[in-house]
Amino acid sequence: MGTQNPSAPSRVRSRIAGHDHPNQGGLIHDNSRHTARFTVIGNHLAQHADLSLLAIGLGTHIQSLPRGSRIDIKSLAARFPEGVARIAAALRELEKHGYLRRERLRIPDGRIVTRTISCNQPPAARRHRPDHESADRERGSDRSMRPAPGDCAPGPRRKALSAVPSPSCSAPALLQAATDVLADLRRHDTRLLLSAADTDHLAPGVAAWLERDVTPAAVRHALLSNLPEAPLHRPAALLAHRLTAFLPPPPPFAPPAPERPVRHPLHNCDNCDRAFRAPTPGRCRDCSPGGRLA
């Protein structure tokens, strides 16, 4: 009875480690390795601090789609119960943070189409990415699933448009008339389909022409005449050049016309029946007392 067993534990141990015990609460993963039909999603998207939950889910869905899938707002609204407004807001979030990029292209038949590019690792995420290569080697992760460093590199930055003339008075009605002139150009030449940003930039230049007594038709003729037959890669830049280079001088100064003398209507004199001019009927100058009109 007095013999001690030195190999026996001093107390009974739980069969479940403390940090894995179900009473501890929190998330527990039950993971299995995928071998087919899976998508690698970075934690910079799945745990993004500034994106809404809808934007994170929509970004994950878009990255899982094959090339050529339709991800316009109407197609996504038909696929998911969220409405058009919420899906549009989520797409704007993803575009703001670099997960989506839109490019406008002209196809051979002359139409303008929008191409959407999904970036699984935006430049901002790559700049703040820690080095986990050694940990990945320990876990045996597949390097072939890593996105290439240049997959989401932004396209070439657009060259800024040159400055255009400015009107002396930026009245809303004047700027709206200028915007209407620019929006109407595509009806005469489909190559002159302008974006909203380009229209806002060019509208003051057109307003400066309208302010100089140039009619909208004359402005349109100056912008459309003798256009090159080759494709226009930067139509807004061409219009900005023409608005500046062809700006007409101000209209000639015209002195105000002198005031015309007042001509009173004719009346017949109440005394002699002669005609005379006066503001009101009465007597003529000769018949009035003291030689004054009555």
Side-chain angles (χ1 to χ4, degrees), residues 61-101:
H61 171 73
I62 291 175
Q63 291 191 17
S64 70
L65 296 175
R67 182 185 182 91
S69 299
R70 297 184 60 86
I71 58 169
D72 56 281
I73 298 176
K74 291 184 178 180
S75 300
L76 293 172
R79 168 65 175 81
F80 296 103
E82 287 76 13
V84 172
R86 295 185 64 192
I87 290 179
L91 289 174
R92 287 194 295 270
E93 287 186 64
L94 294 171
E95 189 171 3
K96 175 183 176 182
H97 290 280
Y99 290 96
L100 289 182
R101 191 170 72 248

Side-chain angles (χ1 to χ4, degrees), residues 2 22 56 66 69 75 80-81 89 92 95-96 115 119 172 188 195 204 213 225 228 233 241 243 260 268 278 285:
I56 292 175
S69 299
S75 300
F80 296 103
R92 287 194 295 270
E95 189 171 3
K96 175 183 176 182
R115 180 176 65 179
C119 296
H188 303 271
S195 67
D213 291 342
S225 60
H233 299 290
H241 168 74
L243 288 173
R260 298 179 60 183
N268 289 335
R285 185 182 301 272

Side-chain angles (χ1 to χ4, degrees), residues 162-168 170 175 200-209 211-212 239-248:
S162 59
V164 296
S166 299
S168 60
S170 300
L175 292 176
D200 291 341
H201 179 85
L202 298 173
V206 177
W209 283 57
E211 191 180 48
R212 300 181 179 216
L239 296 179
H241 168 74
R242 291 196 167 194
L243 288 173
T244 303
F246 301 160
L247 179 67

Side-chain angles (χ1 to χ4, degrees), residues 93-209:
E93 287 186 64
L94 294 171
E95 189 171 3
K96 175 183 176 182
H97 290 280
Y99 290 96
L100 289 182
R101 191 170 72 248
R102 302 177 191 273
E103 295 181 352
R104 303 186 70 183
L105 304 174
R106 185 181 299 277
I107 57 180
D109 63 2
R111 290 184 297 117
I112 301 294
V113 298
T114 301
R115 180 176 65 179
T116 304
I117 301 174
S118 171
C119 296
N120 69 341
Q121 195 169 171
R126 293 202 303 272
R127 286 195 300 267
H128 297 89
R129 180 182 60 186
D131 186 8
H132 293 311
E133 290 186 0
S134 59
D136 289 340
R137 283 194 296 268
E138 293 176 1
R139 290 193 295 265
S141 60
D142 187 3
R143 293 180 180 271
S144 63
M145 295 187 295
R146 287 175 176 257
D151 283 351
C152 293
R157 181 175 297 178
R158 287 186 57 189
K159 185 178 180 180
L161 296 176
S162 59
V164 296
S166 299
S168 60
C169 176
S170 300
L174 180 63
L175 292 176
Q176 182 59 51
T179 301
D180 294 341
V181 171
L182 292 169
D184 187 63
L185 295 178
R186 60 184 176 183
R187 301 180 184 275
H188 303 271
D189 193 327
T190 56
R191 298 176 299 172
L192 298 180
L193 177 62
L194 303 173
S195 67
D198 290 341
T199 302
D200 291 341
H201 179 85
L202 298 173
V206 177
W209 283 57

